[in-house]
Every structure is written in structure tokens, then in C-alpha cells.
Amino acid sequence: MKDKVRNPILPGFNPDPSICRVGGNYYIATSTFEWYPGVQIHYSRDLTNWELASRPLERVSQLDMRGNPDSCGIWAPCLSYADGLFWLIYTDMKRYEGNFKDGHNYLVTAPSVEGPWSDPVYLNSSGFDPSLFHDEDGRKWLLNLQWDYRQREGGDRFGGILLQEYDVEQQRLVGPVRNIFAGTAMKLTEGPHLYRRDGWYHLLVAEGGTGYEHAVTMARSREIAGPYEMHPDNPVLTSRQDSDNLLQRAGHADLVDTPSGETWMVHLCGRPLPGTRRSPRGRETALQKVEWGADGWLRLAHGGNTPAPEVSMPGVEQLAPAAEEIHDFTSGALPQVFQWLRTPQPERLFSLSERPGYLRLFGRESVGSWFEQALVARRQDSIHCSAETTLEFEPEDLQQFAGLIAYYNRFKFHYLAVTRGDDGDKVLSVMSCRDAWPSGTLEIVDTDDIALDPALPVRLGLDIREAELQFRYAQGDAAWQPVGPVLDASLLSDEGSGRAHGYFTGNFLGMAAHDISGRGIPADFSGFRYCRENR
């Protein structure tokens, strides 16, 4: 597309964007939650076309999420650049249900987004969504929300935005902790970012929760610690009153200035399936042009406060993503598009060297384990897509299974697996957990009528068409055959069945091996193909 940018600019699970510019280069950091390595950093020269540059939290000293519940882990990183270094602030959330949230905030630095990234400096645990502000006088300030576990009548547990100075030499927070902003009547005040412009400190926050009432609000003060006066037109950005907008759940934003002085906003959004409030692609990142008015306040350049699905970008051509990706596992390194769950010890989950040209997964704990699960997958970024892989696997009994999976979390997945039947034959099994929170009840479709040739690899495939998912299989030169019923792909989303229990990631498609006997039987995958019809 020429001269226009179609949103989102980072399709598929890429929430909570934080943006910075270094010269003519732009970088966006997004949340990864329980997926390893932690934090995605994308790079662009034009704010339009982005490529994955790094995932900096890649070793045990920086991040170990074994035991973290679903949708915990890395929440809302903040990326900035100052003093010749990139500064990355992040939360490792260990618990988020109930009255308490056990989240620990850390800082790592690097001379380049490609690293090397330092070991972390512990900051605090008072609340999540931390950000670092570099003031004009060289002082540095940490902001994060304060978590109030009490939830008083008529209120919420979001206790305002805290401010405290960070001492670079001592590598710790110093001085008083100040609560500088209680938020607006929309409540759920989080995601703070601070900017300095024309003698004002401008505070940008997310409010209303990360669902369909999400919003961006702003306030400003002459002093960093306040008092802060409200933006006269809050919320600055929201989709809450525009249910027909392609970009729903708009909120959690950050600002960047171009070398020419323009200001742009990146923000979180979601694109539910048509006619639903279910978003299998999760929360994504979009871009809006904004302008500073004569009164010194920031507003959307196109007017109003609803996000634009397309924005003007003269002279720039937005490139379409490849219609097909093929990975053959011959390079000796896991292709960058893939991630795994929680553990900083991937060598216990998979190998690319034990059988060159194959991804070998070692069967580990059960589907949805919060500790050690051999599952390697990529984001679903289109509502019309397909995935295929070829599997060589010799299970010994029913406790060993491996195959192709569409996975959101332990309560939401569809899994086409090869295993052993009671009669000893190699069989296919379709296992689903259909948003069965909190029981995790598994539904298994009997496929005993499908006789697999034990001497041949098995090709496994799936096709997603909006809310429908169909598995298929083939062996040798035979044509693809459907396996099991048409499944509900819309459940593999943040919203799922609509229960109050919420999640924050997105659907992944990938390869898995499970061995609940503890024997660690391996499964070999000789490639992975992903196709998308659109974003």
C-alpha cells in the first residue's frame, strides 16, 4: 500500500507497545507474557514496515518463568535510549489472580538492541507497568502503578501512579516514593509514560482495563511530582463508543517524535472476529498520527478520539507480509519466528543438532504445564491461515503423544496428536480444551478408524477460517484427509467464552511433544509451513 499505513503495524500477539527512536531508527518493545525468550523488539526505518530485531531476555539470570501461571511473565516492558545505551524495564509477574499481584520490576541495558544485554537490576515490586523517564537535567525517574489489594467500595485495586528517582551509580531507587496521579473516573489507571515538552511534564496513562472499555488519557504538570491537571478532552484515544471500528480495545500507548518534529502514537488494539468479541490474534500494535495543539495538549491528527484503521504516510509503501513461510530446520538455529514456554533451558525441550535437518522435541510434561512443556510455536497473525508439519514419532503407549497444536493456554487449545491406541496401533487423537476454566477438562475425539502406516512419517495440517478450525493428515503420496470435526477457533482468544476470567496473549500454532510417563520420548519434525491469506 502506497502513502498509507494499514493498522495494525504489528499484527498478531504484540501488546503494550513502548517505542523509542535513535537517529533515524525506530524500535518497539512489546509484552511476551509466558513465552520465551522475553520481550519482542521490532525495528523500522519508516514507522511502517517492521522486522523482529531481538528478544533480549534470553538467559536464566534475566528471566525464569517456570511456574508462572498463564498470562503472567513479562508485562508491559518500557524501552528507552539515553547516554549511549538502551534501557529496558520489565515486570516478571508471578501471580495475578485474586487480590494480590506478585510482580517484580527489573532493568537491563545494552549498547544495541541486539545486545549484549546486562544482567538485571532489581527495582521494586510495588506494582506493574514500570517505565523509565530520562529528564533534561540527567536525572532518571521510575514510574509504575501502585497495586492496592483492598479494592474499596466503589473503587478498584489500581492505586495510582508512583514516582521515584533511580540512581545510576548506586543501581537502585532512591528518595521518596510519591503517588503523583490517581487517574480519571474511568479508573484502572496503568501503563504510565512521562514526556517533557515546552516546560510541561505530560503524563500518558492507560485506563478502563485492557478490554473493550480501554482508553488513553493524559494529564500535565509544571513539576514532575505534580499536581497534574487533566486533559480537557480525555480520553485522548478509545474505541469504547465505536463498536464498528476495525480497531477495538484501543489503549496502552506511547509517543515518539520523528527527526522532522512530527509526533506519532503507538497503541494497543484488538481485532475481534466478525460478529463476535473474540480476538484469536490477541492484542496488537497500531499507529496514529497526533498533533500538539495551540493550547499545548496532544490530540489525534484526524480529529476525535477513535483510532484510524488507516493513516496517511506520504512517500512510504507498506509491504504485504509473505503469503507463505517454510522452515526446514537445517540452519542449526531455531527460526526467529518461534518461541517456547517459560523455561530458560530450551535444551531440555528441543534440539536442532541431534538429528540435523529436524527439530527434535523431547516429550515433557502435560499439555498446559506451567513448568516444562515441549511446545515450539509461532503467532497466529491472520484469521485465514494454515499450518503444516511432518512428524516422525514412535510412541510406546498412550502416555506419549506429539503433533500439531493450536494453543492459547492450558484451558484453550486444539491438538492433533500421534499416539498409541489400546491395541498397540499408532493412531491419531484430537484433543481439545474448550475454555474449560478452572477444571481444564479435556475432550478427546475418537479416530480409531484412521489406520496409520507405522513405517511412514505423518503429515499434519490445520486450516483456520475465522472461527472454524479443521485438522487434516496425510501419509506418503496420499491426499490430505480431514481429521475430526470442525472446531471452534474463536475460543482460542483473550475473551474466549466470555467468562470474567481474562487472559492477555494470543493464539499460537506449532509443534508439541508430551510424555507424561517421564521417559522423554523424542519426536522429530522435518519442517513447518505457515500460510496466511491476509493479516
Side-chain angles (χ1 to χ4, degrees):
M1 185 188 308
K2 190 71 181 291
D3 301 325
K4 286 186 178 295
V5 179
R6 182 176 62 184
N7 279 312
I9 54 172
L10 298 181
F13 163 47
N14 278 290
D16 311 323
S18 171
I19 189 168
C20 72
R21 177 178 62 85
V22 183
N25 301 319
Y26 299 91
Y27 302 92
I28 293 177
T30 54
S31 301
T32 43
F33 292 86
E34 65 263 38
W35 290 91
Y36 214 96
V39 180
Q40 293 214 125
I41 300 179
H42 282 83
Y43 157 80
S44 176
R45 293 280 297 176
D46 57 14
L47 286 172
T48 303
N49 299 292
W50 295 85
E51 62 184 55
L52 184 60
S54 70
R55 296 192 186 102
L57 306 181
E58 59 181 0
R59 59 185 187 270
V60 66
S61 64
Q62 297 170 318
L63 182 64
D64 187 347
M65 298 184 290
R66 286 173 289 192
N68 285 22
D70 293 325
S71 286
C72 286
I74 297 298
W75 284 25
C78 175
L79 182 68
S80 58
Y81 185 83
D83 310 324
L85 292 172
F86 286 92
W87 304 70
L88 180 66
I89 309 285
Y90 61 96
T91 301
D92 180 8
M93 185 62 68
K94 298 299 185 183
R95 170 190 175 178
Y96 88 100
E97 293 181 307
N99 285 55
F100 294 105
K101 281 183 168 52
D102 294 319
H104 311 303
N105 297 321
Y106 301 93
L107 162 68
V108 293
T109 59
S112 163
V113 292
E114 291 82 13
W117 287 89
S118 69
D119 279 344
V121 174
Y122 172 74
L123 298 172
N124 66 23
S125 302
S126 56
F128 51 91
D129 288 7
S131 70
L132 190 66
F133 172 63
H134 307 269
D135 208 344
E136 294 172 353
D137 60 5
R139 298 172 76 181
K140 303 185 187 301
W141 300 87
L142 183 77
L143 299 96
N144 61 268
L145 73 85
Q146 180 185 52
W147 187 249
D148 185 344
Y149 60 89
R150 298 168 296 178
Q151 187 169 353
R152 299 185 176 110
E153 183 179 354
D156 56 41
R157 298 190 181 106
F158 291 64
I161 302 302
L162 302 182
L163 175 78
Q164 189 176 14
E165 187 172 2
Y166 176 72
D167 188 297
V168 176
E169 295 299 321
Q170 298 184 58
Q171 292 192 313
R172 66 182 184 91
L173 297 172
V174 297
V177 179
R178 301 181 178 96
N179 194 321
I180 63 170
F181 186 64
T184 76
M186 282 181 284
K187 302 180 181 179
L188 304 173
T189 306
E190 58 186 333
H193 290 287
L194 199 59
Y195 317 90
R196 191 154 187 190
R197 183 183 178 90
D198 298 332
W200 291 96
Y201 290 95
H202 291 266
L203 179 63
L204 179 151
V205 297
E207 294 195 295
T210 194
Y212 290 84
E213 297 297 307
H214 209 22
V216 175
T217 61
M218 294 188 73
R220 70 183 182 185
S221 172
R222 291 293 187 182
E223 302 295 333
I224 193 169
Y228 281 82
E229 61 177 282
M230 301 288 190
H231 193 300
D233 301 326
N234 274 333
V236 176
L237 175 76
T238 188
S239 305
R240 63 194 308 175
Q241 295 172 327
D242 186 7
S243 59
D244 294 328
N245 197 309
L246 173 70
L247 307 178
Q248 292 297 307
R249 307 168 68 183
H252 202 114
D254 196 7
L255 305 176
V256 68
D257 290 333
T258 68
S260 64
E262 294 180 339
T263 304
W264 291 83
M265 174 187 287
V266 291
H267 66 91
L268 178 155
C269 67
R271 291 178 295 164
L273 295 175
T276 76
R277 284 198 165 192
R278 296 180 179 180
S279 310
R281 290 167 292 191
R283 300 174 304 152
E284 307 170 290
T285 290
L287 179 74
Q288 306 294 331
K289 178 75 178 298
V290 290
E291 295 176 343
W292 297 94
D295 59 359
W297 289 107
L298 187 79
R299 297 176 177 87
L300 294 178
H302 60 264
N305 65 357
T306 58
E310 291 184 357
V311 294
S312 176
M313 185 77 78
V316 173
E317 181 177 4
Q318 187 177 34
L319 304 177
E324 179 183 66
E325 296 176 10
I326 297 178
H327 305 286
D328 58 13
F329 306 126
T330 59
S331 71
L334 188 68
Q336 193 178 35
V337 70
F338 293 105
Q339 287 183 273
W340 60 93
L341 289 163
R342 293 182 176 85
T343 179
Q345 296 181 313
E347 66 276 7
R348 288 186 50 79
L349 306 183
F350 61 84
S351 171
L352 289 152
S353 60
E354 287 207 6
R355 188 180 179 189
Y358 290 78
L359 173 65
R360 171 164 287 183
L361 297 184
F362 305 106
R364 293 299 182 222
E365 294 176 339
S366 60
V367 194
S369 166
W370 289 347
F371 290 88
E372 198 170 68
Q373 182 180 181
L375 192 160
V376 173
R378 58 108 63 230
R379 287 158 174 74
Q380 178 189 344
D381 59 11
S382 170
I383 58 173
H384 297 96
C385 62
S386 63
E388 298 171 5
T389 189
T390 300
L391 171 65
E392 295 183 32
F393 179 51
E394 294 301 325
E396 297 173 353
D397 57 42
L398 60 88
Q399 289 189 310
Q400 298 156 353
F401 39 94
L404 182 65
I405 194 165
Y407 182 90
Y408 186 97
N409 63 23
R410 68 156 57 180
F411 302 111
K412 307 182 188 190
F413 61 83
H414 299 304
Y415 188 4
L416 175 59
V418 175
T419 186
R420 288 283 175 193
D422 290 335
D423 58 5
D425 290 338
K426 191 185 293 187
V427 299
L428 290 171
S429 179
V430 177
M431 294 180 278
S432 294
C433 191
R434 304 172 188 255
D435 200 10
W437 180 84
S439 68
T441 301
L442 199 64
E443 298 180 25
I444 302 175
V445 175
D446 184 7
T447 59
D448 290 343
D449 57 328
I450 297 175
L452 294 179
D453 186 334
L456 294 176
V458 184
R459 303 200 310 275
L460 305 173
L462 65 81
D463 301 293
I464 294 176
R465 296 294 178 266
E466 296 186 4
E468 296 184 345
L469 185 152
Q470 177 68 66
F471 282 119
R472 50 188 164 89
Y473 89 103
Q475 285 190 285
D477 297 327
W480 288 101
Q481 298 294 324
V483 182
V486 174
L487 300 167
D488 188 351
S490 73
L491 288 175
L492 310 178
S493 65
D494 295 357
E495 306 91 341
S497 61
R499 294 184 179 92
H501 189 81
Y503 299 107
F504 311 124
T505 56
N507 190 36
F508 279 68
L509 307 175
M511 300 152 285
H514 298 88
D515 185 351
I516 59 175
S517 75
R519 285 170 280 175
I521 294 294
D524 293 337
F525 296 85
S526 60
F528 188 87
R529 178 174 180 258
Y530 176 76
C531 297
R532 58 171 77 82
E533 291 185 11
N534 54 50
R535 299 192 312 162

